[in-house]
Amino acid sequence: MAIEETIPSKVGTQRATVEDMLLQYEVEQFFAEESALLDGRKFHEWLTLLADDLEYWMPVRSTRQVGDEEFEFTKLGESALFDDNKEFMEERVRKLDTGYSWSEDPPSRSRHFVHGVRILARREDPEEVDVSSSILVYRSRLASDEDMWVGRREDTLRKEDGQWKVARRHIFLDQVSLRSKNLSVFF
């Protein structure tokens, strides 16, 4: 029995091609490798997965009334928990190397879970793809400090020299009030 060229991807509305399935697999494997690097504290290797023109942004969330949801998250250029580029990310990693990063001495232990990976669209450039995913990041530190952040990421991945890189990462946490002592982890 031959494998069909297409299989159902959305309940009766669209059929995925083998190319679509391979792209999905590549993206999911990229996120699994990225998570392993972060959880293994291999931050210098992780930096190689970031594009030089990286946009890394996490807006502030507030609780809004029904009908006012468009203002739930701050906009680009407004207050944000992170509004970084690759140079700033490299600086954060260099600081971890110095031993003077009080928030990470001793280092945190983390686990990154990336689920519900959906390819939203291919861009005009066939080497770029927009991806949405659900995330759960767990961190434990010292004897009893624990943090958990839940939300979604909207990424733009770009293939450079045959390797996927994060060109844009927008992180939208479900929490409004963060009880974490710091936000020194990478999402």
Side-chain angles (χ1 to χ4, degrees):
M1 179 178 204
I3 297 175
E4 289 185 277
E5 279 295 302
T6 62
I7 64 166
S9 84
K10 293 185 180 176
V11 184
T13 61
Q14 180 178 334
R15 295 179 70 78
T17 66
V18 171
E19 182 180 300
D20 292 335
M21 291 185 293
L22 289 174
L23 176 62
Q24 180 77 24
Y25 176 79
E26 277 185 46
V27 169
E28 288 176 0
Q29 289 302 300
F30 173 81
F31 286 149
E33 179 62 25
E34 179 188 27
S35 294
L37 291 174
L38 290 170
D39 296 339
R41 297 187 198 118
K42 296 179 180 177
F43 301 121
H44 291 279
E45 289 178 53
W46 174 71
L47 287 171
T48 67
L49 302 181
L50 307 179
D52 290 338
D53 61 343
L54 172 71
E55 177 184 292
Y56 186 92
W57 179 68
M58 181 189 289
V60 175
R61 184 177 202 156
S62 61
T63 302
R64 297 296 179 150
Q65 298 293 328
V66 173
D68 203 24
E69 295 92 351
E70 70 179 279
F71 301 107
E72 187 173 12
F73 292 100
T74 55
K75 308 291 185 230
L76 275 169
E78 296 177 351
S79 183
L81 298 170
F82 294 112
D83 191 359
D84 301 337
N85 57 26
K86 185 169 183 183
E87 183 179 339
F88 195 80
M89 302 301 268
E90 290 169 336
E91 186 58 36
R92 286 179 61 190
V93 170
R94 276 193 295 277
K95 185 177 180 184
L96 293 173
D97 292 338
T98 67
Y100 292 107
S101 180
W102 65 267
S103 63
E104 284 299 318
D105 188 16
S108 295
R109 296 166 298 278
S110 70
R111 193 68 51 209
H112 290 71
F113 299 92
V114 181
H115 297 279
V117 176
R118 294 182 304 129
I119 309 295
L120 298 178
R122 285 186 179 249
R123 298 175 146 244
E124 288 181 27
D125 181 345
E127 298 296 308
E128 284 193 358
V129 64
D130 290 329
V131 182
S132 177
S133 59
S134 298
I135 60 164
L136 184 145
V137 179
Y138 170 82
R139 173 179 68 178
S140 63
R141 188 166 177 278
L142 302 171
S144 61
D145 287 355
E146 291 184 308
D147 294 298
M148 194 171 348
W149 301 281
V150 179
R152 79 175 194 280
R153 289 193 319 213
E154 293 179 359
D155 294 323
T156 297
L157 301 182
R158 180 185 308 133
K159 201 168 253 190
E160 296 178 2
D161 299 322
Q163 180 183 0
W164 288 109
K165 295 196 179 228
V166 178
R168 181 183 62 89
R169 173 158 290 161
H170 290 185
I171 306 134
F172 301 90
L173 293 182
D174 289 343
Q175 294 100 318
V176 171
S177 178
L178 302 180
R179 297 178 184 204
S180 312
K181 293 179 181 174
N182 63 57
L183 274 177
S184 57
V185 299
F186 299 104
F187 289 84

